[in-house]
């Protein structure tokens, strides 16, 4: 069985986000594997351990994203690929085209990814990639099994659970609760250091950069306004209503 | 220092932090207050291979150096944990590795590396022999293919949480040797094979809440093949591991110091008194800044000592001793600054500061007293008269 896992490096969720000239300041920021991708990674490795096979991890991103792949190798991934060609970076449309080109270089029975990235929260890359490859996908899964050659998953639907069966190849996206990601062992870290990470560029993937140009554009970025302290109205109910109407009219200006 | 090495250090820090993050400060508080050995933490560290880090790859470890070992311990303490509970598993095996017979190494090292067997105890100190180790009275007499051991030891850590222990005993009494450092032998005792009654342990309650004991040996039988190194040369088997140990212990102290800086800064910046964070007061802020600088300086000397040690530079020993002194002093100063920052809350167990403070204070006493390092530097580095 061949398994592909998609990884994205994101801001550490504990980092403070700062804007500098309208851009997010990346200086000195710690990057982690997108937490939902960690579940995907754990599941991919666990499936390999249980049913046999080979796991390949892929990321599209700058050189620093290599550390995400080293982590993946340290916890049991067999092969790691980075697409670090800047001309291939872009929005969800672009990235899923690039990932499709990578996936088509081999034939994968299973593709795991996080259900969304914690930075942009788009939750598009998984389903888009499945469409590009013409295979089914199931999002936000919380349990994964293989029975009689079929994939059987539990899917989180706003608090309810759907049980879904699918043939392989299939792409699934991981929801929180799918598993408890393992931490790398020291021998794992040492072995990962000796493995080579494959680097791919537009040429290797036979991609026409024009054709996959992003469909969206970021026109501005700003931090949400700081929430101001609330106001607790005092007095009897009549006074409170009177004051509330006054405030809605004169301060909030929502009543004319 | 090469880039690759720094990279490895970063990986080690992150790897250890990942495990430590699953054992929060309340876990350690409970372990301390209930005198409970942190078995789950030790198992997690062993399973992930961290405690076998210094054992060569051919015996199932990862073959890392002592600076890497120091970083592992540093990260445990920095997280709020207690590296003291695991450090022995990391390095007590050193004497066995350097001086043990190939048979003994093959028998025990792989299982120590995997954590299957715990080698957490090193029985040296006696009621009448501390740093003057040559005065030990515990006696080992060879009878056929066994040694029969009688005597007692004190302040022996983790005896109830180990499978193996190293034991130092006199095979020739002090008054019958030409040189007082002769006539001492080192044994590997496999506790699992010791019949009941041959070792009696009496727990000693300490402020550290750990597993500390007084041990009595009553005709303890140890197979002759469990002798490490030559008979009568045991002290030397131990001594050549001292420099390495100083480097590791420096890492532990450094981790405590960084813990206190982290805590003091976070708490002090948030604690509002007289309508402003207390770290705005110079009386709070400056001691934290000073302790931080002292830690950084001590850390620099530690790295220098470790580099020299790896390069087999004979001056590594002096540097390692000085690094141990400076790291433990700087850590204690950071503990003091942090305690002052927390004020009355430092006394409350749930803030963890008092517990870590005790552990940090202890490092100025054990495993070597700061005074003995001062005397060493005075005499051996600066060539002044022997002070004791």
């Amino acid at each position: 069985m061949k398994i592909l896992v998609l990884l994205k490096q994101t801001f550490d969720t504990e980092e403070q986000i700062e804007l500098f000239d309208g851009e997010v300041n990346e200086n000195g920021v710690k990057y982690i594997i997108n937490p939902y991708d960690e579940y995907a990674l754990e599941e991919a490795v666990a499936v390999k351990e249980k049913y046999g096979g080979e796991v390949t991890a892929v990321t599209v991103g700058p050189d620093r994203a290599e550390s995400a792949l080293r982590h993946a190798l340290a916890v049991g991934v067999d092969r790691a690929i980075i697409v670090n060609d800047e001309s291939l970076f872009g929005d969800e449309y672009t990235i899923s085209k690039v990932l499709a080109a990578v996936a088509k270089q081999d034939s994968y029975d299973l593709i795991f990814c996080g259900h969304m990235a914690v930075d942009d929260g788009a939750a598009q890359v998984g389903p888009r990639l499945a469409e590009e490859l013409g295979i089914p996908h199931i999002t936000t899964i919380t349990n994964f099994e293989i029975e009689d050659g079929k994939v059987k998953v539990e899917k989180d639907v706003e608090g309810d659970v759907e049980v879904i069966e699918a043939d392989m190849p299939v792409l699934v996206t991981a929801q929180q609760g799918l598993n408890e990601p393992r931490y790398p062992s020291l021998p794992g870290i040492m072995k990962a250091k000796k493995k080579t990470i494959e680097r791919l560029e537009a040429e290797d993937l036979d991609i026409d950069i024009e054709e996959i140009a992003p469909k969206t554009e970021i026109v501005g970025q700003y931090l949400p306004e700081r929430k101001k302290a609330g106001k607790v109205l005092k007095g009897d109910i009549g006074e409170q209503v009177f004051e509330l109407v006054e405030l809605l009219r004169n301060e909030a200006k929502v009543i004319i | 220092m090469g880039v690759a090495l720094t990279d490895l250090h970063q990986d080690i820090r992150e790897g250890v932090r990942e495990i430590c993050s699953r054992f929060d400060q309340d876990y350690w508080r409970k372990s301390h207050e209930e005198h409970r050995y942190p078995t789950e933490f030790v198992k997690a560290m062993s399973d992930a291979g961290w405690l076998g880090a210094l054992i060569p790859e051919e015996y199932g470890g990862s073959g890392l150096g002592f600076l890497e070992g120091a970083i592992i311990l540093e990260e445990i303490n920095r997280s709020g944990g207690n590296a003291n509970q695991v450090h022995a598993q990391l390095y007590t095996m050193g004497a066995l590795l350097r001086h043990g017979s190939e048979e003994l190494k093959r028998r025990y090292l792989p299982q120590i590396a995997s954590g299957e067997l715990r080698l957490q105890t090193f029985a040296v100190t006696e009621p009448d022999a501390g740093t003057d180790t040559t005065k030990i009275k515990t006696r080992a007499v060879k009878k056929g293919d066994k040694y029969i051991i009688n005597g007692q030891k004190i302040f022996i850590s983790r005896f109830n949480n180990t499978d193996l222990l190293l034991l130092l005993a006199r095979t020739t009494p002090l008054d019958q040797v030409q040189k007082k450092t002769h006539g001492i032998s080192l044994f590997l005792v496999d506790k699992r094979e010791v019949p009941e009654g041959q070792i009696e342990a009496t727990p000693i309650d300490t402020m550290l809440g750990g597993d500390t004991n007084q041990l009595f040996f009553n005709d303890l039988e140890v197979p002759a093949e469990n002798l490490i190194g030559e008979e009568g040369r045991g002290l030397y088997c131990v001594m050549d591991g001292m420099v390495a140990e100083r480097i590791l212990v420096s890492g532990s102290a450094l981790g405590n110091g960084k813990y206190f800086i982290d805590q003091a800064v976070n708490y002090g910046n948030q604690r509002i008194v007289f309508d402003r964070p207390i770290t705005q007061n110079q009386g709070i802020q400056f001691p934290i800044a000073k302790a931080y600088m002292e830690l950084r300086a001590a850390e620099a000397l530690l790295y220098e000592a470790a580099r020299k040690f790896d390069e087999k530079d004979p001056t590594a020993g002096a540097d390692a001793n000085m690094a141990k002194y400076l790291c433990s002093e700087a850590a204690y100063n950071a503990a003091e600054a942090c305690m002052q920052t927390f004020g009355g809350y430092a006394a409350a167990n749930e803030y963890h500061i008092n517990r870590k403070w005790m552990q940090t204070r202890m490092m100025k006493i054990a495993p070597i007293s700061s005074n003995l390092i001062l005397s060493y530097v005075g005499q051996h580095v600066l060539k002044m008269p022997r002070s004791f």
Side-chain angles (χ1 to χ4, degrees):
Chain A
M1 191 158 40
K2 287 203 164 180
I3 305 167
L4 181 66
V5 56
L6 317 180
L7 299 180
K8 181 179 185 181
Q9 222 186 17
T10 54
F11 255 56
D12 189 334
T13 41
E14 285 176 18
E15 287 283 353
Q16 192 88 29
I17 296 174
E18 283 170 6
L19 287 181
F20 192 73
D21 278 348
E23 297 280 326
V24 176
N25 179 21
E26 296 192 357
N27 271 348
V29 165
K30 193 182 162 206
Y31 283 89
I32 57 167
I33 295 178
N34 172 39
Y36 294 106
D37 295 354
E38 283 246 32
Y39 300 123
L41 172 62
E42 170 61 37
E43 203 61 25
V45 174
V47 165
K48 174 187 94 165
E49 285 170 351
K50 195 164 173 191
Y51 304 101
E54 187 195 68
V55 182
T56 302
V58 61
T59 190
V60 181
D63 286 341
R64 63 165 160 76
E66 262 195 34
S67 67
L69 294 175
R70 290 275 170 220
H71 176 96
L73 289 167
V75 295
V77 159
D78 305 285
R79 246 180 99 206
I81 302 169
I82 184 167
V83 182
N84 61 340
D85 180 345
E86 265 187 54
S87 65
L88 298 177
F89 298 171
D91 63 2
E92 294 77 16
Y93 172 81
T94 306
I95 299 293
S96 44
K97 291 274 186 197
V98 173
L99 288 171
V102 175
K104 281 176 186 163
Q105 288 194 325
D106 211 318
S107 67
Y108 295 100
D109 305 290
L110 285 171
I111 302 179
F112 287 95
C113 63
H115 92 88
M116 67 171 188
V118 292
D119 49 7
D120 54 37
Q124 289 187 27
V125 169
R128 277 181 180 273
L129 172 60
E131 290 300 313
E132 291 290 338
L133 298 172
I135 62 170
H137 71 263
I138 310 163
T139 56
T140 59
I141 67 160
T142 53
N143 192 48
F144 181 94
E145 276 164 50
I146 297 175
E147 269 176 28
D148 306 324
K150 276 179 189 262
V151 164
K152 194 177 165 191
V153 305
E154 287 177 14
K155 171 182 163 68
D156 168 42
V157 272
E158 303 286 329
D160 275 335
V161 178
E162 276 179 7
V163 179
I164 302 173
E165 250 184 29
D167 286 320
M168 289 189 269
V170 62
L171 180 148
V172 294
T173 77
Q175 172 65 300
Q176 190 173 4
L178 175 61
N179 52 44
E180 169 86 359
R182 72 192 70 189
Y183 36 76
S185 69
L186 175 56
I189 292 172
M190 300 302 282
K191 267 183 223 143
K193 288 204 161 297
K194 290 174 194 155
K195 287 191 184 162
T196 327
I197 291 174
E198 296 165 47
R199 300 167 159 277
L200 296 179
E201 297 187 356
E203 244 174 63
D204 308 307
L205 293 168
D206 207 12
I207 288 177
D208 181 347
I209 298 166
E210 300 288 309
E211 269 177 34
I212 63 156
K215 298 285 186 193
T216 57
E217 187 192 345
I218 294 174
V219 291
Q221 293 187 91
Y222 55 91
L223 293 171
E225 225 177 286
R226 263 210 156 159
K227 211 180 155 193
K228 288 182 196 133
K231 196 175 256 178
V232 179
L233 303 180
K234 288 189 180 124
D236 67 37
I237 197 79
E239 285 168 357
Q240 285 189 35
V241 170
F242 181 77
E243 199 187 345
L244 178 65
V245 173
E246 283 296 298
L247 288 170
L248 290 173
R249 182 174 287 150
N250 301 326
E251 203 166 285
K253 294 189 170 59
V254 291
I255 305 177
I256 302 162
Chain B
M1 199 182 306
V3 174
L5 195 63
T6 318
D7 239 22
L8 173 63
H9 290 169
Q10 197 49 38
D11 287 346
I12 291 173
R13 288 184 193 282
E14 276 167 23
V16 177
R17 272 178 207 167
E18 245 186 278
I19 296 182
C20 291
S21 70
R22 302 187 191 205
F23 297 88
D24 62 11
Q25 294 204 69
D26 283 325
Y27 172 83
W28 289 102
R29 179 187 162 195
K30 233 175 145 183
S31 155
H32 176 90
E33 287 175 359
E34 295 170 9
H35 298 262
R36 219 173 47 78
Y37 189 70
T39 309
E40 306 80 9
F41 174 76
V42 177
K43 186 174 181 325
M45 288 292 287
S46 276
D47 287 351
W50 293 107
L51 303 184
L54 307 185
I55 295 176
E57 283 175 271
E58 57 171 318
Y59 298 109
S62 290
L64 295 187
F66 287 93
L67 182 56
E68 287 73 38
I71 290 172
I72 294 171
L73 296 175
E74 178 191 326
E75 287 300 331
I76 297 172
N77 273 345
R78 186 175 191 172
S79 78
N82 182 1
N84 203 39
Q85 301 280 27
V86 296
H87 67 176
Q89 181 77 6
L90 203 61
Y91 66 79
T92 310
M93 59 80 206
L96 169 64
L97 176 66
R98 290 185 307 273
H99 303 284
S101 66
E102 194 53 37
E103 200 266 321
L104 216 50
K105 287 197 273 187
R106 295 255 164 239
R107 178 141 51 107
Y108 288 110
L109 285 177
Q111 292 185 74
I112 295 170
S114 72
E116 237 169 293
L117 280 184
R118 299 163 300 170
L119 173 53
Q120 288 264 45
T121 297
F122 200 169
V124 178
T125 303
E126 296 185 5
D128 298 318
T131 311
D132 49 351
T133 315
T134 57
K135 300 257 174 66
I136 59 168
K137 292 193 183 108
T138 296
R139 186 87 165 87
V141 179
K142 195 168 183 186
K143 276 198 182 138
D145 58 355
K146 283 180 195 145
Y147 282 90
I148 310 295
I149 300 177
N150 281 287
Q152 58 168 305
K153 298 280 176 187
I154 196 165
F155 297 125
I156 306 307
S157 300
R158 296 168 296 271
F159 177 76
N160 298 301
N161 289 284
T162 192
D163 301 299
L164 310 169
L165 63 144
L166 293 189
L167 171 60
L168 212 53
R170 273 221 167 262
T171 33
T172 313
L174 186 57
D175 55 14
Q176 291 169 32
V177 288
Q178 287 181 331
K179 219 177 151 189
K180 61 185 181 175
T181 50
H182 290 176
I184 293 171
S185 300
L186 183 64
F187 299 93
L188 177 71
V189 180
D190 192 331
K191 231 178 80 182
R192 299 167 306 164
E193 289 169 7
V194 175
E196 207 164 314
Q198 291 191 3
I199 305 179
E200 272 177 57
T202 314
I204 302 172
D205 280 341
T206 71
M207 68 173 180
L208 300 171
D211 168 15
T212 304
N213 303 274
Q214 186 159 16
L215 301 183
F216 300 91
F217 308 109
N218 311 313
D219 289 330
L220 168 65
E221 294 179 5
V222 178
E225 72 249 27
N226 281 26
L227 176 76
I228 294 177
E230 276 176 57
E231 186 185 294
R233 307 292 287 171
L235 196 58
Y236 299 96
C237 298
V238 177
M239 295 285 275
D240 63 3
M242 292 293 183
V243 178
E245 192 192 278
R246 299 280 188 270
I247 289 172
L248 292 169
V249 168
S250 300
S252 289
L254 205 56
N256 282 336
K258 290 183 182 179
Y259 165 84
F260 285 116
I261 299 292
D262 292 342
Q263 296 289 319
V265 170
N266 283 339
Y267 180 83
N269 281 345
Q270 280 167 30
R271 172 88 173 136
I272 309 289
V273 179
F274 298 120
D275 300 323
R276 56 188 207 163
I278 56 170
T279 37
Q280 203 173 329
N281 303 318
Q282 295 178 356
I284 295 291
Q285 185 183 96
F286 289 5
I288 300 172
K290 189 162 174 263
Y292 177 70
M293 289 189 283
E294 287 170 4
L295 280 167
R296 293 294 304 274
E299 185 173 32
L301 187 57
L302 166 61
Y303 276 71
E304 172 80 353
R307 183 187 58 77
K308 284 186 177 177
F309 183 68
D310 284 343
E311 290 168 3
K312 304 204 174 358
D313 181 327
T315 62
D319 279 10
N321 268 302
M322 290 190 273
K324 192 270 162 186
Y325 178 96
L326 291 175
C327 286
S328 54
E329 293 286 329
Y332 181 69
N333 294 342
E336 284 284 299
C338 184
M339 229 184 197
Q340 207 64 27
T341 305
F342 272 68
Y345 288 97
N349 294 0
E350 65 184 285
Y351 283 80
H352 312 289
I353 301 303
N354 56 11
R355 183 179 75 250
K356 290 290 286 182
W357 180 87
M358 287 189 278
Q359 287 164 10
T360 305
R361 178 63 183 84
M362 197 62 204
M363 297 199 74
K364 287 170 38 136
I365 301 171
I368 180 82
S369 158
S370 285
N371 275 345
L372 279 152
I373 296 180
L374 291 172
S375 72
Y376 174 89
V377 172
Q379 183 186 348
H380 296 285
V381 179
L382 301 175
K383 310 296 176 202
M384 293 188 279
R386 183 182 165 113
S387 58
F388 56 91

